[in-house]
């Protein structure tokens, strides 16, 4: 029984400004290399940590292309929805999204927290659960999203699209620390997406927490230039579970695919953004920059009823869908 984990592919049809390559071709090449790994290493299933798509409703051409590549992996693909897979970060919009369509057609199997999937093979039973993104992720009690019970099986895996990290970002940034979750989850492996830079493999209380980083390098941050896109292979064939990272051979060095001028500009922008965020902070207590975060922050500060907040977020999702249709 061997599983392959990858995350944050952000399939899309266009290249961001600072990419020097044809990103869609690069992403197709990566998926073909993953398919080759699946065959060579005799992988039984692929697990995706969310943000399969860069937007919830990519064009049909992009959907068809990458949907076919997922199918050509030749093994079941299990996934959780990421924030980019949904409208307005709202899981209720899933049926209108490309990921929802693929799930309905059986090309991807969506993992849920309360309905474990059991994979059996080679005398090993693996319990698989997952928690997709939602707008309370990393804001409400993190154990609701990150901690699971092992009901049955030799190994329990929980897949989450959330900002799980080994140390906190800037103060007030929504994130969940591994040390907060580790004592309470029974998952032997917590596999995470969302934080594109990933974090070092961490073992706490005998449980592993892994995020190999996004398969795509979308931003021009200096850390992204140095990072090699990789997948993780989990091997349960021996006496005890082992895992290792496998860097993709086709991924070119960051300096080749990310534009240098754009990198400098990005560093400058980061600095300006930090100043801007500081300015906003001193004026109020807004802890986020996305519209959802601002709505959330206003609702909490003014003590608005839960229905009002949910309705505001629902309308925001609707408007975003509308804008996307017009584009
Ligand atoms: Mn992502």
């Amino acid at each position: 029984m061997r599983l392959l984990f990858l995350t944050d592919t952000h399939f899309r049809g266009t290249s961001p400004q600072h990419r020097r390559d044809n990103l869609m071709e690069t992403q197709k090449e990566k998926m073909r290399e993953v398919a080759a790994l699946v065959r060579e290493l005799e992988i039984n299933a692929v697990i995706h940590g969310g943000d399969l798509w860069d937007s919830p409703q990519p064009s049909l051409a992009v959907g068809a292309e990458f949907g076919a590549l997922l199918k050509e992996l030749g093994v079941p693909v299990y996934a959780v929805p990421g924030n980019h897979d949904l409208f307005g970060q709202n899981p209720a919009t899933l049926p209108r999204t490309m990921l929802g369509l693929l799930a309905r057609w059986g090309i991807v199997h969506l993992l849920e927290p309360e309905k474990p999937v059991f994979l059996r093979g080679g005398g090993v039973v693996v319990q698989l659960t997952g928690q997709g993104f939602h707008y309370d992720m990393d804001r409400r009690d993190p154990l609701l999203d990150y901690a699971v019970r092992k009901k049955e099986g030799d190994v329990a895996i929980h897949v989450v699209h959330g900002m799980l990290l080994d140390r906190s970002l800037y103060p007030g940034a929504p994130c969940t620390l591994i040390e907060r979750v580790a004592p309470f989850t029974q998952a032997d492996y917590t596999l995470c997406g969302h934080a594109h830079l990933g974090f070092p493999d961490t073992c706490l209380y005998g449980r592993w927490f892994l995020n190999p980083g996004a398969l795509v390098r979308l931003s021009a941050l200096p850390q992204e230039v140095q990072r090699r896109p990789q997948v993780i292979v989990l091997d349960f064939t021996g006496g005890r579970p082992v895992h290792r990272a496998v860097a993709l051979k086709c991924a070119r060095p960051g300096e080749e695919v990310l534009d240098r001028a754009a990198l400098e500009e990005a560093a400058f922008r980061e600095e300006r953004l930090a100043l801007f965020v500081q300015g906003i902070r001193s004026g109020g207590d807004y802890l986020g920059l996305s519209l959802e975060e601002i709505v959330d922050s206003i609702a909490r500060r003014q003590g608005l009823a839960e229905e009002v907040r949910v309705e505001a977020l629902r309308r925001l999702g609707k408007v975003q869908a509308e804008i996307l249709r017009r584009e």
Side-chain angles (χ1 to χ4, degrees), residues 23-24 197 272 314:
L23 184 59
M24 188 162 168
L197 299 175
R272 301 289 306 175
R314 190 189 67 79

Side-chain angles (χ1 to χ4, degrees), residues 178-192:
I178 293 169
E179 60 189 43
R180 173 81 180 82
V181 177
F184 302 102
T185 186
Q186 291 176 2
D188 301 284
Y189 283 93
T190 302
L191 306 179
C192 267

Side-chain angles (χ1 to χ4, degrees), residues 8 10 51 84 161 194 196:
D8 293 81
H10 287 254
D51 281 359
H84 283 260
H161 194 86
H194 197 39
H196 279 210

